[in-house]
Amino acid sequence: MRQSFIAGNWKMHKTPAEAVALAEELKKGLSDCKHKLLIAPSFTALDAVSKVVKGSNILLGAQNMATVEEGAHTGETSVLMLKAIGVDVVILGHSERRHVYGETDEMINTKVKLALEHGFEVILCVGETLEEREAGNAEKVVKTQTESGLKDVTEAQLEKVTIAYEPVWAIGTGKTATPEDADQIHKVTRDTVKNLYSDAAAEKMIIQYGGSVKPNNAAQLMSMENIDGALVGGASLKADLFLPIAEYDK
Ligand code: 13P
């Protein structure tokens, strides 16, 4: 049985004080939650939130990371900086990074390897655009993004990788993939891991779904065979929405 992994991606929301307040609320509300939990505040709030979740059952995530450890990279954040403030997990390849900021599969793969070399867990995001889905290419796109993102990652390192399937057309739009459609792409992703590594690696791989996950659709999505958790955007910004998602089976 794979453990459910529920993550909140706070994107570019909340000042440090607001982020600390929400983290405190979630820490209290989820203290006996049996699922794996993560919150990913923006960079300016990471240090403050790190102090709140330290020693709790909530992991701390960063939303991105530079491709190199240090140097003349104005505006970037290094793996070493994230390490120094207690970040556990780095979200990489989010569709907003791919499509708004032009990150390529090669850049994402470089980041994945760098994060893993430094002992971080990684959430590798994959997902097709509406255009790609309508052209019948959803499975192909997700397969390619999975293969490229995991290039030269060893099977031992894979233990620290979660994949998040986030169809771009379902992010922040209120449109969710049907549980059956999502499960189908999750299965393709799992088969891709199987072909790249082994049956055992595929069986263990946690694959989250992301894209308009809300309290009213979380349980149904999570009931699907290949959906092992959620990467939540908008609904992770309020405790009264995120708590019931994280406790979808209570
Ligand atoms: P929404 O839940 O707001 O659709 O965002 C999903 C997402 O992009 C999480 O990373």
Side-chain angles (χ1 to χ4, degrees):
M1 260 304 262
R2 293 179 290 269
Q3 190 188 16
S4 244
F5 184 7
I6 310 292
N9 173 11
W10 294 358
K11 306 192 179 182
M12 199 175 71
H13 294 282
K14 298 194 183 290
T15 62
E18 290 165 349
V20 163
L22 178 57
E24 297 274 14
E25 235 180 309
L26 297 178
K27 184 167 86 165
K28 205 162 130 225
L30 295 172
S31 61
D32 63 354
C33 181
K34 60 180 189 300
H35 305 306
K36 182 169 174 179
L37 300 168
L38 168 87
I39 51 176
S42 64
F43 286 121
T44 58
L46 271 177
D47 193 26
V49 172
S50 169
K51 294 179 177 90
V52 177
V53 297
K54 196 168 183 215
S56 78
N57 58 342
I58 302 178
L59 296 169
L60 183 67
Q63 299 172 17
N64 186 25
M65 190 192 90
T67 53
V68 291
E69 283 179 6
E70 64 180 344
H73 293 274
T74 302
E76 289 289 303
T77 304
S78 147
V79 65
L80 303 175
M81 297 165 188
L82 300 181
K83 210 175 198 175
I85 56 171
V87 167
D88 305 293
V89 182
V90 190
I91 298 173
L92 295 170
H94 192 278
S95 70
E96 287 144 22
R97 300 301 321 167
R98 291 178 189 265
H99 298 295
V100 185
Y101 295 98
E103 291 195 11
T104 62
D105 280 330
E106 290 68 31
M107 283 168 76
I108 293 159
N109 176 245
T110 302
K111 293 180 185 200
V112 166
K113 286 184 291 185
L114 184 60
L116 292 171
E117 276 161 25
H118 282 273
F120 286 100
E121 284 190 44
V122 164
I123 296 179
L124 169 65
C125 302
V126 297
E128 81 286 1
T129 62
L130 185 59
E131 215 178 9
E132 289 164 339
R133 170 157 286 255
E134 285 174 347
N137 290 332
E139 296 187 2
K140 197 170 118 212
V141 168
V142 167
K143 187 168 175 279
T144 304
Q145 289 178 349
T146 303
E147 287 170 350
S148 314
L150 295 177
K151 189 168 175 283
D152 300 326
V153 170
T154 68
E155 186 158 343
Q157 286 177 315
L158 202 65
E159 303 262 340
K160 293 203 159 199
V161 177
T162 294
I163 297 174
Y165 168 57
E166 299 202 307
V168 181
W169 48 272
I171 295 178
T173 57
K175 287 185 195 146
T176 329
T178 65
E180 291 73 22
D181 282 347
D183 196 62
Q184 172 56 23
I185 302 282
H186 281 234
K187 187 175 179 317
V188 168
T189 309
R190 199 175 301 290
D191 287 345
T192 306
V193 173
K194 184 163 140 179
N195 290 337
L196 288 173
Y197 297 91
S198 66
D199 285 3
E203 193 48 44
K204 272 192 278 183
M205 176 58 68
I206 295 177
I207 308 177
Q208 298 172 318
Y209 171 78
S212 298
V213 176
K214 308 286 178 213
N216 65 5
N217 60 20
Q220 208 194 351
L221 286 161
M222 295 314 128
S223 72
M224 303 306 291
E225 187 183 341
N226 289 291
I227 302 183
D228 312 312
L231 181 54
V232 187
S236 70
L237 296 170
K238 288 195 174 134
D240 62 351
L241 296 178
F242 192 66
L243 292 174
I245 294 175
E247 310 237 70
Y248 63 89
D249 52 352
K250 258 203 168 170

